[in-house]
Coordinates of all heavy atoms in Angstrom, one line a residue:
E318 N -31.3 264.1 14.2 CA -29.9 264.5 14.0 C -29.1 263.7 12.9 O -29.4 262.5 12.7 CB -29.2 264.3 15.3 CG -28.9 262.8 15.7 CD -30.1 262.1 16.3 OE1 -31.2 262.6 16.4 OE2 -29.9 261.0 16.8
H340 N -31.3 270.3 21.2 CA -31.1 268.8 21.4 C -30.4 268.2 20.2 O -29.4 267.5 20.4 CB -32.5 268.2 21.7 CG -32.4 266.7 21.8 ND1 -32.2 266.0 22.9 CD2 -32.5 265.7 20.8 CE1 -32.2 264.7 22.7 NE2 -32.3 264.5 21.4
E341 N -30.9 268.5 19.0 CA -30.4 267.9 17.8 C -28.9 268.3 17.6 O -28.1 267.6 17.2 CB -31.2 268.3 16.5 CG -32.8 267.9 16.7 CD -33.0 266.5 17.2 OE1 -32.2 265.6 17.1 OE2 -34.1 266.3 17.8
H344 N -26.6 266.5 19.7 CA -26.2 265.1 19.2 C -24.9 265.1 18.4 O -24.3 264.1 18.3 CB -27.3 264.7 18.2 CG -28.4 263.9 18.9 ND1 -28.1 262.7 19.5 CD2 -29.7 264.1 19.0 CE1 -29.3 262.2 20.0 NE2 -30.3 263.0 19.7
E363 N -28.7 259.3 23.2 CA -29.8 260.2 23.6 C -29.7 260.7 25.0 O -30.0 261.9 25.3 CB -31.2 259.4 23.5 CG -31.6 259.0 22.0 CD -31.7 260.2 21.1 OE1 -31.8 261.3 21.5 OE2 -31.9 259.9 19.9
T366 N -26.8 263.3 25.2 CA -27.3 264.4 24.5 C -28.3 265.2 25.3 O -28.2 266.5 25.4 CB -27.9 263.9 23.1 OG1 -26.8 263.4 22.3 CG2 -28.6 265.1 22.4
Y433 N -33.6 258.5 26.9 CA -33.4 259.9 27.1 C -33.3 260.3 28.6 O -32.4 260.9 28.9 CB -34.7 260.6 26.5 CG -34.7 260.7 25.0 CD1 -35.1 259.5 24.4 CD2 -34.4 261.8 24.2 CE1 -35.2 259.4 23.0 CE2 -34.5 261.7 22.9 CZ -34.9 260.6 22.2 OH -35.0 260.6 20.9
Ligands
LIG1 ZN1 -32.1 262.8 20.3

Side-chain angles (χ1 to χ4, degrees):
E318 72 281 7
H340 177 88
E341 305 313 335
H344 267 300
E363 295 298 351
T366 293
Y433 293 75

